[in-house]
């Protein structure tokens, strides 16, 4: 059962969902389960058990609250009629709730000069990162490239509120196609590379068909670079981190 619980937690986090692992670390006297008992808690279901009854119900509630904050926490209960759970086992249990949060996903759609620099720098951050393109010759420069049709790859890609997308393909027609594939699927951030004229035309096209959502950033990036691919990649990542972390665009300097 332990393997099933751990595998399910890994599966859920790979899908962009949070999960909690509950483990009994100490069981003294008469208790529903002994030390080492495990349970996986998810948003709508559980796997495994730490003994059922009031204690399990309480720990599940606590785990789901902790999943919202991302914090892990110990717990301890005396299983007597005098304790808050009003159980009559007579023993005591201690445990730990470990919260697993998925890594934020960064999808780079386009493996040109900027996409490559963005990928190389982004690999050093905490993102689950993927770079996509349909040009086979780019595999030489980017061995990690996910090669194939954008339509097929993005249609099958898991996109959640923990997903950040950069649209930087070889042309504006393909950019718009990629945007159509991802724009209404709940991504936290969708950034589009392009000149002011290109983005103005894109905005006009979008407004004809639907309301523009506030997760679209175009032109992409903070205005801090000198225009080289390396610095453009940094300004894009700076904007993504500002959105991800709720950061402030202010200097830290005390002078």
């Amino acid at each position: 059962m332990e393997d099933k619980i751990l595998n399910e937690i890994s599966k859920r986090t790979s899908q962009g969902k949070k999960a909690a692992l509950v483990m009994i670390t100490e069981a003294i006297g008469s208790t529903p389960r002994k030390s080492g008992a495990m349970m996986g808690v998810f948003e709508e279901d559980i796997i495994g058990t730490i003994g059922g009854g009031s204690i399990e119900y309480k720990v599940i509630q606590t785990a789901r609250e902790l999943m919202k904050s991302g914090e892990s926490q110990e717990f301890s209960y005396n299983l007597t009629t005098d304790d808050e759970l009003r159980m009559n086992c007579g023993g005591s249990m201690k445990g730990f709730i470990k919260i697993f949060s998925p890594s934020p996903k960064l999808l780079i759609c386009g493996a040109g000069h900027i996409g490559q620099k963005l990928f190389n720098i982004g690999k050093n951050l905490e993102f689950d990162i993927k770079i996509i393109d349909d040009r086979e010759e780019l595999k030489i420069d980017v061995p990690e490239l996910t090669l194939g049709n954008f339509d097929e790859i993005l249609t099958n890609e898991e996109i959640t509120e923990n997903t950040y997308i950069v649209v930087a393909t070889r042309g504006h027609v393909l950019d718009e196609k990629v945007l159509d594939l991802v724009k209404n699927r709940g991504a936290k951030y969708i950034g589009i590379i392009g000149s002011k004229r290109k983005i103005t035309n894109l905005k006009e096209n979008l407004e004809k068909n639907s309301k523009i959502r506030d997760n679209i950033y175009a032109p992409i990036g903070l205005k801090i670079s000198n225009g080289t691919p390396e610095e453009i990649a940094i300004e894009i990542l700076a904007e993504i981190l500002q959105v991800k972390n709720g950061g402030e665009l202010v200097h830290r300097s005390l002078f």
Side-chain angles (χ1 to χ4, degrees):
M1 177 55 77
E2 286 84 358
D3 286 346
K4 289 182 179 180
I5 293 170
L6 295 174
N7 287 337
E8 188 63 25
I9 288 173
S10 177
K11 174 184 173 182
R12 300 290 180 104
T13 54
S14 70
Q15 294 172 343
K17 301 174 183 177
K18 291 187 177 182
L21 174 65
V22 178
M23 175 176 282
I24 302 303
T25 57
E26 181 180 282
I28 299 174
S30 179
T31 59
R33 294 292 302 275
K34 299 305 179 184
S35 178
M38 293 168 54
M39 176 175 65
V41 179
F42 313 106
E43 291 181 1
E44 297 179 351
D45 59 331
I46 66 169
I47 181 172
T49 180
I50 58 168
S54 298
I55 186 169
E56 184 166 287
Y57 178 76
K58 178 66 175 178
V59 170
I60 290 171
Q61 284 186 315
T62 302
R64 286 176 174 155
E65 284 299 314
L66 291 172
M67 285 163 63
K68 296 175 183 177
S69 65
E71 298 177 1
S72 300
Q73 181 178 291
E74 295 178 333
F75 63 88
S76 176
Y77 292 106
N78 292 313
L79 308 182
T80 68
T81 54
D82 296 327
D83 192 63
E84 65 173 288
L85 298 178
R86 296 290 190 266
M87 295 182 70
N88 198 28
C89 299
S92 64
M93 292 176 69
K94 292 183 180 179
F96 190 77
I97 303 172
K98 169 65 178 176
I99 302 301
F100 293 85
S101 298
S103 296
K105 180 185 290 188
L106 176 58
L107 297 178
I108 304 169
C109 302
H113 296 300
I114 293 173
Q116 290 179 31
K117 301 300 181 185
L118 186 59
F119 180 72
N120 290 332
I121 297 171
K123 285 191 294 186
N124 298 312
L125 302 178
E126 64 174 1
F127 291 101
D128 174 11
I129 190 168
K130 179 183 289 187
I131 185 166
I132 305 164
D133 210 297
D134 58 2
R135 291 172 285 180
E136 191 170 355
E137 64 271 19
L138 295 176
K139 199 71 166 159
I140 298 173
D141 299 317
V142 192
E144 304 97 328
L145 180 67
T146 297
L147 180 65
N149 182 276
F150 282 102
D151 196 322
E152 182 178 340
I153 294 170
L154 292 173
T155 297
N156 293 300
E157 186 71 40
E158 186 82 27
I159 295 176
T160 71
E161 61 182 10
N162 205 27
T163 303
Y164 302 79
I165 302 171
V166 174
V167 182
T169 73
R170 60 181 178 274
H172 72 276
V173 174
L174 187 53
D175 280 351
E176 289 196 35
K177 179 180 178 181
V178 168
L179 180 59
D180 283 338
L181 291 168
V182 301
K183 67 180 180 181
N184 294 319
R185 295 171 60 189
K188 182 69 176 259
Y189 172 100
I190 302 173
I192 308 165
I193 285 180
S195 65
K196 287 185 178 180
R197 180 177 180 181
K198 169 189 166 180
I199 298 303
T200 298
N201 291 336
L202 175 61
K203 184 172 181 287
E204 290 174 355
N205 291 339
L206 283 175
E207 288 175 336
K208 291 176 184 177
N209 300 310
S210 62
K211 179 181 177 182
I212 297 179
R213 296 173 179 262
D214 59 6
N215 63 341
I216 295 178
Y217 294 75
I220 197 172
L222 304 180
K223 195 174 182 180
I224 57 174
S225 81
N226 66 357
T228 61
E230 292 83 359
E231 290 201 9
I232 290 173
I234 289 171
E235 73 177 7
I236 291 170
L237 281 170
E239 182 173 71
I240 290 172
L241 292 176
Q242 190 270 332
V243 172
K244 181 175 79 72
N245 301 325
E248 298 180 74
L249 301 179
V250 296
H251 293 288
R252 294 182 186 272
S253 176
L254 298 177
F255 293 87

